[in-house]
Amino acid sequence: MKKTGVRQMIFGILGSLACGVSVMGCYPLVPAYFTALYLEQVNGVVLLAFMYIGMTLFMPLTAAVKYGVTLIVMIGAVKLIEWANEGCPVFLAGVMAGLTTLILSFCGSLLEWKNQPDGAAVFLEAVFIFGAVILLNRGIHFLMEWTPVQRKTEELPERGNGERLKNYAESFQGLSQIFLNMSAGKEKYAADELGRVQNELTGKVCASCDSCALCWERDCTPLYGILSSMITSIWQVGEPGAENEAELKKYCAKSRDMVEEAVRVFERVSLNHAWYNRLLENRQVIAEQLDAMAYIMQDCAREERVLDTQERRAISEIRYRAKERGISIEEIHLIETLDGRLKLSAALKSRMGGCISLKSFVTAAGHALGRQMRAAADTKTFISKEPVNYVFYEDTVYRNVQGIARVKKDGAKISGDNFSFLELERGEFLLGLSDGMGSGSMACKESEMVLDLVERFLEAGFSVETAIRMMNSAMVMKGADDLYSTVDLCKINLYTGMAKLYKIGAAATFIKRGAEVECITSQSLPVGAQVQMDISVQETKLTGGDFVVMVTDGVLEYLHVKKPEDTMQEIIESIQTNNPGILAKKIMERVMLFTGGKAKDDMTVLAACIWEK
């Protein structure tokens, strides 16, 4: 961080004045103040000039020589320590300043210089310098970092943007409701539509018949009832009944033409209904997508809170501890995430130009904030001379371990099952399992696409519910081949241990807590089968050592028992291990014993365990 020339000038003048403070014939503030200020990377030449001016004005010659040499020695000592360690801890600088002053005072007494303090005063001076360097450096650091509180002009526009996003979300939700109302179902053939069919028939057939007037002008003509009965029969079974044709033949000379035309009209009407139903389905898909967009806007409106103003002391403490480790902070922001956790964003570089382990800064930031911190995934592990932006999160309470066991269907070259392990930056871990319909490459592509879409939405910051909605809409629009996939998701919060299970047409999930096993089931259709899907969501609390076991349908269906879930519970209970990989493999081995070593379907067992750090 660049120091302003005005502040350096003020501190230099104060250094000159400190040269006039004498205690028991000693001037302990001179080396203490100089060392504390020099550690803050002020201009050493300017500072030394001010100190020499003060010593010339306020000190006797022998004292000025002693402390003048002390300051030069401290410059070399601090530079040497920084060269060796990429930074100079303040306590070490304090020790060096005290020892240097003590040694020079002892040398002065041997040379019998005039006006030398006694031995007790010299020793107390060294102790005072050590403590003063630590206290003065911390105080000077905070003064150098201090900036007046300014009201951010961006706050009002940001708040306005949040309100605008909420209004947009409400508008999209209203538009979604309009599309849902437009797509409300209706009877296949309403009464007025049947009437129009009858009018169309008589208009086409009877209008060209010479007997039309005789048939329809009679007051008691039975043709109305006969046509209505015939149309109802075609509506219900797709063709007119024999009695309807015989009755119509008695009163209509073109009965055969009338029947054929009625069947053609209903074929056209049925086709129109099919297209209309497709239109209704598309409207429902659009409504779902508008709803998802509304959810996304609501998430964006809930912005993270910047704590730079409220936590100025903590940020200054981070800078202070980083400086001691040879790390320079170009820019730093402390942020509170939506779930109340801390996030730290900082641009870091090495002060001396060498490479410093990122772990050193993580430790410093954790001590300053009073919390364990962790670097974001895929972050550089070393801090170099070029400034790089880093992101750090409050560390999680739990860590996770996963295991997988898979068997392809007999004769298949590729499994239709796919799985996913995804650790999110916000401290959540996702287990995903998808079973494509059937087996082979097509089923594999479908299940892979489902999990890939979910991962992309989650990594973009959307909630699981929104990701599932968007993914289902995409699969409904694509699903022309009637290839559907089940989705089994388990999201575990690694801060609290709370697990949410999202099941869409998926098999049962099992939670193993010591010797007890809990079974979680659901009844729902796979993704892409319907626009408004039924998502089964269940929540449970996990603690250190608990296992989550997820399986595909092929594992349970071919156990050949009345209650496969109960049998699977017994299998899991009988396996004693702390390794999820071993657990998954042993479960698969037991299942293959039930199937006689044959795999009639793709089978996948996915296991995960959480442990306290």
Side-chain angles (χ1 to χ4, degrees):
M1 179 179 178
K2 295 182 179 180
K3 311 297 189 294
T4 61
V6 175
R7 291 188 184 182
Q8 293 192 45
M9 187 69 68
I10 293 173
F11 281 118
I13 294 172
L14 291 175
S16 298
L17 298 176
C19 295
V21 179
S22 174
V23 181
M24 298 174 63
C26 301
Y27 297 86
L29 280 179
V30 175
Y33 183 84
F34 177 84
T35 304
L37 193 57
Y38 187 69
L39 288 174
E40 288 300 307
Q41 286 192 321
V42 299
N43 191 311
V45 176
V46 174
L47 178 59
L48 197 62
F50 274 106
M51 298 298 291
Y52 278 170
I53 291 171
M55 286 187 286
T56 303
L57 294 175
F58 301 112
M59 288 186 186
L61 180 59
T62 55
V65 171
K66 180 182 79 171
Y67 290 110
V69 174
T70 301
L71 300 188
I72 294 176
V73 171
M74 284 310 303
I75 291 176
V78 170
K79 289 291 185 183
L80 183 62
I81 295 171
E82 287 182 338
W83 174 80
N85 299 322
E86 294 292 343
C88 182
V90 65
F91 80 91
L92 187 56
V95 171
M96 293 296 296
L99 286 177
T100 302
T101 307
L102 181 63
I103 292 171
L104 289 176
S105 297
F106 179 70
C107 292
S109 64
L110 291 179
L111 296 174
E112 297 182 352
W113 287 355
K114 294 181 179 180
N115 303 321
Q116 289 297 309
D118 57 21
V122 170
F123 178 76
L124 291 175
E125 180 188 29
V127 175
F128 176 85
I129 291 172
F130 170 73
V133 168
I134 296 175
L135 295 176
L136 286 173
N137 179 254
R138 185 172 288 270
I140 290 171
H141 173 80
F142 289 146
L143 288 174
M144 295 287 261
E145 297 290 338
W146 180 82
T147 53
V149 178
Q150 297 179 353
R151 180 177 178 83
K152 292 184 178 180
T153 57
E154 297 88 358
E155 287 182 357
L156 187 59
E158 285 179 0
R159 195 178 302 116
N161 288 338
E163 291 297 327
R164 288 175 64 188
L165 282 173
K166 290 180 181 178
N167 293 334
Y168 290 157
E170 292 176 359
S171 300
F172 272 88
Q173 286 176 335
L175 191 59
S176 170
Q177 191 59 46
I178 291 174
F179 272 94
L180 283 177
N181 293 337
M182 291 171 60
S183 61
K186 67 176 185 178
E187 294 181 9
K188 185 176 181 181
Y189 300 111
D192 58 342
E193 192 169 9
L194 294 177
R196 287 196 298 272
V197 169
Q198 182 172 330
N199 292 334
E200 184 177 351
L201 282 175
T202 55
K204 284 187 176 182
V205 179
C206 299
S208 60
C209 180
D210 297 334
S211 304
C212 179
L214 296 175
C215 294
W216 291 103
E217 287 184 359
R218 289 180 294 180
D219 296 334
C220 58
T221 181
L223 282 177
Y224 289 103
I226 295 171
L227 281 178
S228 178
S229 177
M230 183 183 68
I231 291 172
T232 302
S233 176
I234 298 175
W235 170 27
Q236 292 175 346
V237 299
E239 60 182 15
E243 299 126 353
N244 300 126
E245 291 191 54
E247 192 73 20
L248 181 63
K249 192 172 183 179
K250 295 179 183 178
Y251 298 95
C252 180
K254 294 187 176 182
S255 61
R256 191 63 208 162
D257 295 340
M258 182 73 76
V259 172
E260 291 176 355
E261 184 63 28
V263 172
R264 281 195 296 270
V265 168
F266 266 95
E267 286 177 352
R268 189 178 68 254
V269 170
S270 298
L271 181 61
N272 290 339
H273 269 277
W275 281 109
Y276 182 73
N277 290 333
R278 184 62 177 173
L279 175 63
L280 296 184
E281 187 176 292
N282 289 339
R283 287 175 180 172
Q284 290 179 343
V285 171
I286 294 172
E288 285 290 317
Q289 292 176 338
L290 290 173
D291 261 339
M293 289 297 297
Y295 297 145
I296 292 169
M297 290 179 181
Q298 288 172 346
D299 285 341
C300 292
R302 296 169 56 232
E303 296 178 349
E304 297 175 333
R305 192 162 65 101
V306 179
L307 303 177
D308 291 356
T309 304
Q310 299 91 320
E311 299 293 339
R312 296 169 70 195
R313 183 178 295 276
I315 292 175
S316 182
E317 182 70 15
I318 294 172
R319 288 184 181 274
Y320 179 78
R321 291 179 179 271
K323 176 207 67 175
E324 286 195 320
R325 289 166 169 80
I327 301 169
S328 178
I329 301 178
E330 296 284 309
E331 186 179 0
I332 184 170
H333 299 288
L334 190 61
I335 301 166
E336 183 182 51
T337 60
L338 297 178
D339 57 358
R341 309 289 175 183
L342 288 182
K343 182 172 79 171
L344 185 66
S345 173
L348 309 176
K349 71 175 184 177
S350 170
R351 293 178 65 178
M352 301 300 295
C355 289
I356 303 175
S357 172
L358 185 64
K359 187 177 180 181
S360 178
F361 179 81
V362 173
T363 303
H367 287 321
L369 297 172
R371 308 186 190 188
Q372 295 291 326
M373 303 296 290
R374 60 182 173 89
D378 302 325
T379 300
K380 291 177 62 178
T381 56
F382 288 95
I383 301 170
S384 61
K385 63 180 180 179
E386 297 296 331
V388 176
N389 291 319
Y390 295 89
V391 178
F392 306 89
Y393 296 89
E394 187 175 338
D395 201 6
T396 57
V397 177
Y398 298 98
R399 61 183 177 88
N400 63 86
V401 186
Q402 317 90 34
I404 186 77
R406 309 176 73 190
V407 174
K408 297 192 297 288
K409 180 180 178 181
D410 291 341
K413 295 181 179 180
I414 189 171
S415 174
D417 299 342
N418 271 288
F419 65 93
S420 171
F421 299 118
L422 180 63
E423 190 158 352
L424 302 171
E425 295 292 358
R426 52 181 179 261
E428 295 174 336
F429 178 69
L430 186 80
L431 299 169
L433 190 58
S434 180
D435 182 3
M437 181 172 289
S439 61
S441 60
M442 291 300 296
C444 179
K445 289 180 181 179
E446 288 295 317
S447 60
E448 183 181 18
M449 182 184 300
V450 166
L451 291 180
D452 183 60
L453 287 172
V454 171
E455 285 184 357
R456 288 176 183 271
F457 286 122
L458 292 178
E459 287 176 336
F462 300 143
S463 65
V464 177
E465 291 85 353
T466 303
I468 293 175
R469 287 173 180 269
M470 295 292 284
M471 176 268 298
N472 184 69
S473 295
M475 296 303 292
V476 168
M477 297 297 290
K478 176 185 178 298
D481 299 327
D482 292 333
L483 292 175
Y484 309 120
S485 298
T486 66
V487 175
D488 201 356
L489 302 176
C490 177
K491 184 186 71 174
I492 303 174
N493 189 315
L494 296 177
Y495 291 106
T496 64
M498 294 302 298
K500 277 189 175 181
L501 290 93
Y502 303 83
K503 307 184 79 63
I504 310 169
T509 296
F510 303 88
I511 309 295
K512 187 177 189 296
R513 298 185 177 91
E516 298 181 357
V517 177
E518 177 186 359
C519 178
I520 300 175
T521 61
S522 73
Q523 297 293 329
S524 58
L525 293 175
V527 295
Q530 57 183 4
V531 177
Q532 295 182 336
M533 59 181 175
D534 181 20
I535 306 175
S536 174
V537 183
Q538 299 189 50
E539 194 169 6
T540 185
K541 180 72 168 67
L542 302 179
T543 57
D546 289 351
F547 286 84
V548 177
V549 179
M550 303 165 67
V551 299
T552 54
D553 292 336
V555 175
L556 296 177
E557 288 179 359
Y558 296 101
L559 289 175
H560 302 297
V561 293
K562 291 183 178 179
K563 296 181 179 180
E565 288 81 7
D566 294 345
T567 302
M568 181 58 67
Q569 281 184 271
E570 295 174 0
I571 292 174
I572 296 174
E573 287 174 357
S574 65
I575 300 173
Q576 301 300 321
T577 181
N578 290 328
N579 189 315
I582 294 176
L583 177 63
K585 290 180 180 178
K586 287 190 174 182
I587 291 173
M588 185 64 74
E589 290 173 359
R590 301 282 181 88
V591 171
M592 294 304 290
L593 292 177
F594 279 85
T595 64
K598 297 180 180 180
K600 297 182 179 180
D601 193 4
D602 299 320
M603 295 189 289
T604 302
V605 178
L606 186 148
C609 179
I610 64 170
W611 300 95
E612 290 187 15
K613 291 185 176 179

